[in-house]
Amino acid sequence: NLVTNGDFAVDSNWIKESDEWTISGGSANASNTLDNFFQENVVEIGKYYQVTYTVTNYSAGTVRVELPANANPGIERDANGTYTEILLSAGTTLMFEGRTAFTGSIDNVIVKELNGFPAVTSGNPAFSSDAP
């Protein structure tokens, strides 16, 4: 895992753009936010990553993961669940963005670099097109 403190055990390693994001109780918690929280120097430009995270305590709005800021965003999420996405990084920052007044929590963030040129098939299993 390339993320530091992805389990939010302590309030460190993450930058919060506003007080609408807090880290407590083992999760990053949002209250009606359109702002971001992020961790710098997690990924490299031009590489593919598998990002897994859990949304809990969901009550409103949407949230998405980005590598980074709008360049290569993930899917907007509006329900509790564990999500896995494959993203191409356009920067070095791992970011979560409250898209539409998100209220809920993020936990268990895991980022893994993928080798080769991954793609997604039905059901979202990753594979590499350069494999023999």
Side-chain angles (χ1 to χ4, degrees):
N1 186 7
L2 300 173
V3 174
T4 302
N5 192 31
D7 62 356
F8 303 101
V10 293
D11 187 2
S12 64
N13 307 102
W14 293 90
I15 298 166
K16 301 170 285 270
E17 286 189 340
S18 73
D19 60 4
E20 294 168 350
W21 281 104
T22 62
I23 295 177
S24 64
S27 61
N29 310 295
S31 177
N32 196 39
T33 190
L34 298 173
D35 289 327
N36 306 311
F37 82 97
F38 56 95
Q39 195 170 115
E40 297 175 319
N41 302 313
V42 174
V43 295
E44 294 180 42
I45 296 170
K47 294 190 176 187
Y48 287 91
Y49 295 89
Q50 177 178 295
V51 180
T52 302
Y53 61 97
T54 301
V55 175
T56 61
N57 303 313
Y58 173 82
S59 66
T62 60
V63 66
R64 73 179 182 190
V65 64
E66 301 175 352
L67 294 182
N70 296 316
N72 287 324
I75 298 167
E76 290 186 33
R77 305 298 182 173
D78 61 358
N80 289 330
T82 298
Y83 303 101
T84 299
E85 302 183 42
I86 296 172
L87 301 170
L88 172 64
S89 182
T92 61
T93 302
L94 168 70
M95 177 178 291
F96 286 88
E97 178 184 22
R99 293 290 296 164
T100 56
F102 175 67
T103 298
S105 301
I106 304 291
D107 198 7
N108 304 316
V109 178
I110 300 170
V111 176
K112 296 181 181 180
E113 182 181 339
L114 300 176
N115 294 321
F117 304 99
V120 176
T121 61
S122 177
N124 292 329
F127 73 95
S128 179
S129 63
D130 64 348

